[in-house]
Amino acid sequence: MASLLQVKELKTHFFTDDGVVKAVDGISYDVQPGEIVGLVGESGCGKTVSALSILRLIPDPPGKIVAGEIIFEGDDLLKANEKQIRHIRGNRIAMIFQEPMTSLNPVLTIGRQITESLELHLKMDRRSANKRAIELMEMVGIPEAEARIADYPHQFSGGMRQRAMIAMALSCNPKLLLADEPTTALDVTIQAQILELLTRLTRELGTAVVIITHNLGVVARYADRVYVMYAGKIVEAAVAGELYGSPHHPYTLGLLKSVPRLDQARKEKLEPIEGFPPDLIHMPPGCAFRPRCKFAVQKCEDAEPPLLEVASEHYSACWEWPKVGQAARSTAPA
């Protein structure tokens, strides 16, 4: 099956007075039609920048896509002109932004913000677009949609605003949906509802989804494949079950150990990853994770490890991946 999206050696840098911030530094991944892919990592690792690069929404200056290809349905989006990319945004590729209250326009009604893309991309008249907007609001579980279509964002709760964002994103039946921390500002029960809703709707519509999050637990149930990012690079990639069951990078192992587990004996404390992510302007030599890594050896400082296949469809950028895999197996539940 041909990939819906192929990101190849993408590099997005920000040119500041202090130096060049290599926010995304040579990542490659693909998304198949109808697939749910998780893009996971700590804040500042480049997840959001990589998604904004796909839609060419990087602010220039100071940001610039300096290298790579973004192939969507056979076309390189980096070569598209501004008119072509505007036709793709919100139509063939849609995005749910991180915080709905800051992404929604406070002076436009929820209904108008949904109908705008319907009129622009699908050429609907105002009446048809309004009817479709009500259907979309009902589809995402907003009660009394016909009455609430005239409400403004501040009149919605956080969960309802997120549902409105999902309705906007799915309004034109996109082939690809980029969900940037879609549950970050919601409580746990609403998080589950939103993720279940998003998964159900995309399965019904056949839309591929990239879920961007810092929490491996969020994508555990929903993702088909997972890419783990650190310091602007992908450090591990695998089918979700394989990655959770047998991580082969110390960063992934650290992320898993820092999340509460119901399938393991209760511990007094979680095991956080010590230290902080590196300064992207002044990167350490060798492996970027080395200063925080319990498995580091001299080779980790001497040379940066490439992303290599360590098992079937399982990739890791770690010189000591066999030891990491062994440590993961020794701590796995019986």
Side-chain angles (χ1 to χ4, degrees), residues 115 229 234 307 309:
T115 59
M229 284 191 70
I234 290 174
L307 188 66
E309 189 170 17

Side-chain angles (χ1 to χ4, degrees), residues 156-273:
F156 276 47
S157 67
M160 288 298 114
R161 283 194 291 267
Q162 195 63 280
R163 290 172 187 268
M165 288 283 291
I166 293 172
M168 290 172 60
L170 296 177
S171 61
C172 296
N173 297 323
K175 296 290 185 69
L176 176 65
L177 179 62
L178 307 173
D180 186 10
E181 301 277 10
T183 61
T184 192
L186 307 176
D187 63 57
V188 175
T189 54
I190 302 300
Q191 281 185 20
Q193 291 175 17
I194 293 297
L195 288 168
E196 290 287 353
L197 168 68
L198 189 59
T199 304
R200 176 177 62 80
L201 292 176
T202 52
R203 294 297 192 204
E204 290 175 359
L205 299 172
T207 303
V209 186
V210 177
I211 297 180
I212 300 165
T213 180
H214 63 276
N215 189 345
L216 272 169
V218 167
V219 296
R221 180 172 177 175
Y222 305 99
D224 300 308
R225 286 187 295 142
V226 180
Y227 293 89
V228 181
M229 284 191 70
Y230 186 77
K233 296 180 182 291
I234 290 174
V235 296
E236 188 163 12
V239 173
E242 171 72 13
L243 184 123
Y244 283 88
S246 182
H248 278 70
H249 194 281
Y251 180 58
T252 309
L253 182 60
L255 289 176
L256 289 170
K257 285 188 173 184
S258 65
V259 176
R261 297 281 295 269
L262 297 179
D263 58 347
Q264 294 184 6
R266 181 176 177 178
K267 298 179 182 179
E268 291 186 6
K269 294 183 179 180
L270 296 174
E271 298 180 35
I273 302 174

